[in-house]
Amino acid sequence: DHKFDPFTQRDYYRMFAFFNSTVEDGHGKSIPGGMLDIPGEMEGGENVQKQLEEAEEDLDRYLNTQGSAQQKWEDDLSADQRSRLKAEVQRILQTRFAERTIKQKRIAYAAFHADDPEFKSRDMKLAKLEKREPKSVTTLVMRELDKPRETHLLIKGDFTRPGVVVTPGTPETLPAMAAAIENSNGTAGSRQSNAPAATRLDLARWIVATNNPLAARVLVNRVWQQYFGRGLVETENDFGTQGIPPSHPELLDWLACELVQPGGGQAVSGAAQGSSGAWSLKHLHRLIVTSATYRQSSKARPDLRDKDPNNKLLARQNRLRLDAEVVRDSMLAASGLLSEKAGGPPVFPPQPAGVMNLGQSKRDWKPSSGADRYRRGIYTWFWRATPHPALAVFDAPDAFSTCTRRLRSNTPLQALTLLNDQQFYEMAQALAAKVLREGKGSNNDRLDYAFRLCVSRHPSMAELQRLSELLASELRQPGPDEMKAPLLAWTTAARVLLNLDETITRE
């Protein structure tokens, strides 16, 4: 029934049946309350918790000293006065003072004497600490209903016209699931009464079964795409009949076999041999990056311009502009500012003023300080409607739809961002200070050091000459502070180096 591929409506509804008896909520059996512990998320929480407990004890002691006055006020309240209090306060007053929680005491005392300066200072301190208290991350959990739903083949897709009942199963054109969990017909009426229904766990096992090569091929293709800019199957999100056939089908199959079972009956050299288990991504990465194909030069070859202008045959490596987050990371590394801390909550690097006013809601963006200011780009807080401009300008995908391949553009705005954006200017200043601090010898020696920090090679004579002329010109510029003149001149040179096309390109 499918327009392009050999799938039937029955296949569709049998796949749908795997998920028709699930519900998403925060009360999964394996994760009570849907709470997850994320490494680094509660970092610093112990110190805040200790301060919170101390502030609570301090406020509780003070409220206890005012207990007599509080009780006298409560006893003197008339019925009319009580009725005018908030409902929550009325309920609290029904509990004896000695049996009230700290929260109840705070609410009741605020109704009695909210203007008490001693109470206000303690209460405000506690409220501020409560806002800083780390909260556990919650998530929806998909779980099975206790009583499975029946799944029908809907006639012409109309939910008001249910057809035959179907049980969970996989498309008939693909390798079948084990006979123990699915018979050949797949309809409820034809199953044995004691035959167990297939579950999502069975589906997961089927997806990665050794006789089902699709998952391994797709995964291998995505990894290859990261290293070469284009997958062996160029349509990385479509392996169907309408997708582009693989450029190297035997290589794709061999890599898929290596992923599922390293060695795959063939010799594997070096540390990879016998050191990796099934579905080892580490083994796959090592296999690709140590290959002669990956380690080729990306320099264009005249003999390939007519034979293979798009380099589909991989006779050379491809030049790739770094991903948006990695552009930031590489410059932080070159300047010596990069924080190698892993995990924890998102951070807020500097961004131009007014950006957060572009969405439907105006939000604050307070730049992080200290090491958090220089965390890897992957930790940058991402507002869906207003992502960080430095990420957007370097083609980071939006958060509205899935993205299986990033497009790479080359625009003047990218150069302007690297030259003038506050965060990149700070990196240029740090690079200049690092070169002045660590560089040895003449200015040309220091320029050579700065060049290697940015592009991992020595400059040519022509490149070194142009940089030397720029630096000399900047050093001759008069300034209000002669002590800072060298740093300003080297900052200019650093801005140029960080703005080179080669700095943000993997050769």
Side-chain angles (χ1 to χ4, degrees):
D1 305 304
H2 193 272
K3 187 175 182 181
F4 302 120
D5 295 311
F7 294 113
T8 64
Q9 290 186 36
R10 189 163 140 285
D11 284 339
Y12 172 84
Y13 287 105
R14 293 179 73 203
M15 287 290 289
F16 170 69
F18 281 109
F19 305 95
N20 194 28
S21 294
T22 61
V23 61
E24 289 186 359
D25 60 21
H27 304 286
K29 294 179 181 178
S30 60
I31 309 176
M35 309 299 284
L36 289 177
D37 289 330
I38 298 179
E41 198 70 30
M42 306 296 287
E43 187 172 315
E46 293 181 1
N47 185 37
V48 175
Q49 192 66 39
K50 183 180 179 182
Q51 294 180 50
L52 190 61
E53 292 172 0
E54 292 173 352
E56 279 187 347
E57 291 174 1
D58 181 47
L59 179 58
D60 192 40
R61 280 194 300 269
Y62 179 75
L63 293 177
N64 288 337
T65 63
Q66 305 298 311
S68 299
Q70 170 89 26
Q71 192 65 55
K72 184 178 185 305
W73 171 75
E74 294 177 12
D75 294 340
D76 293 342
L77 286 173
S78 65
D80 181 57
Q81 288 173 324
R82 281 179 177 266
S83 65
R84 279 182 275 163
L85 294 172
K86 293 180 179 179
E88 186 178 18
V89 176
Q90 294 182 45
R91 287 194 299 271
I92 293 173
L93 297 187
Q94 295 173 9
T95 305
R96 294 177 56 229
F97 182 85
E99 298 175 355
R100 294 173 190 171
T101 64
I102 179 65
K103 182 179 179 181
Q104 290 174 326
K105 290 178 183 178
R106 290 169 70 187
I107 295 172
Y109 193 82
F112 160 54
H113 195 4
D115 293 334
D116 180 357
E118 292 291 329
F119 167 73
K120 286 176 67 175
S121 64
R122 289 174 169 83
D123 189 63
M124 287 178 62
K125 179 181 179 181
L126 181 57
K128 289 180 179 179
L129 286 169
E130 286 174 336
K131 289 182 178 180
R132 290 175 52 200
E133 184 181 14
K135 301 293 190 298
S136 296
V137 177
T138 60
T139 185
L140 295 177
V141 177
M142 181 179 282
R143 62 181 177 88
E144 301 289 333
L145 291 173
D146 296 331
K147 183 180 179 182
R149 298 187 182 101
E150 274 194 343
T151 301
H152 296 263
L153 190 156
L154 304 181
I155 299 173
K156 295 188 176 181
D158 186 350
F159 71 92
T160 65
R161 301 173 63 193
V164 297
V165 176
V166 297
T167 54
T170 52
E172 292 182 352
T173 57
L174 298 177
M177 289 181 118
I181 58 174
E182 178 197 22
N183 67 6
S184 59
N185 192 306
T187 59
S190 65
R191 293 177 62 85
Q192 299 293 328
S193 59
N194 61 350
T199 66
R200 286 187 293 125
L201 179 58
D202 297 317
L203 177 63
R205 288 170 173 160
W206 172 81
I207 288 174
V208 296
T210 54
N211 65 338
N212 182 15
L214 182 61
R217 282 175 173 154
V218 170
L219 182 52
V220 162
N221 196 61
R222 296 283 175 88
V223 174
W224 187 272
Q225 177 181 270
Q226 285 297 110
Y227 285 122
F228 292 91
R230 178 174 55 233
L232 295 169
V233 176
E234 192 168 346
T235 51
E236 78 297 327
N237 58 355
D238 186 358
F239 274 53
T241 57
Q242 296 299 297
I244 297 176
S247 57
H248 300 70
E250 294 87 356
L251 175 59
L252 180 65
D253 286 349
W254 182 78
L255 287 172
C257 290
E258 279 293 320
L259 173 65
V260 175
Q261 187 58 57
Q266 302 185 38
V268 180
S269 61
Q273 188 170 10
S275 64
S276 304
W279 293 88
S280 171
L281 280 173
K282 181 178 287 188
H283 171 69
L284 179 64
H285 287 298
R286 182 189 291 118
L287 201 61
I288 293 176
V289 300
T290 57
S291 68
T293 305
Y294 178 80
R295 292 184 293 167
Q296 293 180 112
S297 169
S298 60
K299 188 175 181 180
R301 287 169 44 186
D303 58 316
L304 297 176
R305 288 174 185 168
D306 295 328
K307 294 179 181 178
D308 186 21
N310 294 321
N311 196 36
K312 288 188 176 182
L313 299 180
L314 300 172
R316 59 175 176 82
Q317 182 56 275
N318 291 319
R319 297 179 77 247
L320 299 177
R321 212 277 325 282
L322 300 178
D323 287 336
E325 298 86 350
V326 186
V327 168
R328 170 181 168 82
D329 296 352
S330 64
M331 296 191 177
L332 284 172
S335 63
L337 291 175
L338 180 65
S339 168
E340 297 185 0
K341 174 184 172 184
V347 295
F348 301 83
Q351 70 174 9
V355 172
M356 301 313 296
N357 297 333
L358 300 176
Q360 293 180 341
S361 302
K362 293 184 179 181
R363 299 184 175 92
D364 291 330
W365 182 281
K366 184 179 179 181
S368 300
S369 58
D372 282 349
R373 194 179 183 92
Y374 309 114
R375 298 287 305 279
R376 290 178 55 203
I378 195 174
Y379 295 112
T380 298
W381 183 279
F382 200 100
W383 288 110
R384 181 178 297 180
T386 51
H388 195 288
L391 294 180
V393 76
F394 284 104
D395 310 307
D398 60 40
F400 292 101
S401 57
T402 57
C403 174
T404 57
R405 175 176 52 181
R406 294 191 183 190
L407 302 178
R408 289 179 170 87
S409 65
N410 187 1
T411 68
L413 189 56
Q414 293 170 354
L416 291 171
T417 299
L418 295 180
L419 195 63
N420 301 311
D421 188 280
Q422 181 182 348
Q423 61 174 333
F424 293 112
Y425 187 82
E426 289 180 8
M427 295 175 202
Q429 288 178 312
L431 176 59
K434 181 178 181 179
V435 171
L436 287 171
R437 183 176 62 253
E438 299 176 2
K440 306 298 181 182
S442 65
N443 282 345
N444 278 0
D445 293 329
R446 284 176 166 173
L447 286 172
D448 179 90
Y449 176 56
F451 201 92
R452 283 186 286 120
L453 286 173
C454 293
V455 302
S456 300
R457 68 172 175 85
H458 293 281
S460 66
M461 291 301 297
E463 291 167 333
L464 186 60
Q465 178 66 26
R466 295 190 67 181
L467 286 170
S468 180
E469 291 174 358
L470 170 66
L471 181 63
S473 174
E474 291 296 314
L475 288 171
R476 287 195 297 268
Q477 296 292 330
D481 190 342
E482 291 186 6
M483 296 296 294
K484 294 182 178 180
L487 179 61
L488 292 173
W490 278 97
T491 298
T492 299
R495 292 172 73 191
V496 170
L497 290 173
L498 293 180
N499 210 321
L500 293 176
D501 179 66
E502 191 174 345
T503 303
I504 59 171
T505 302
R506 190 217 66 182
E507 295 290 341

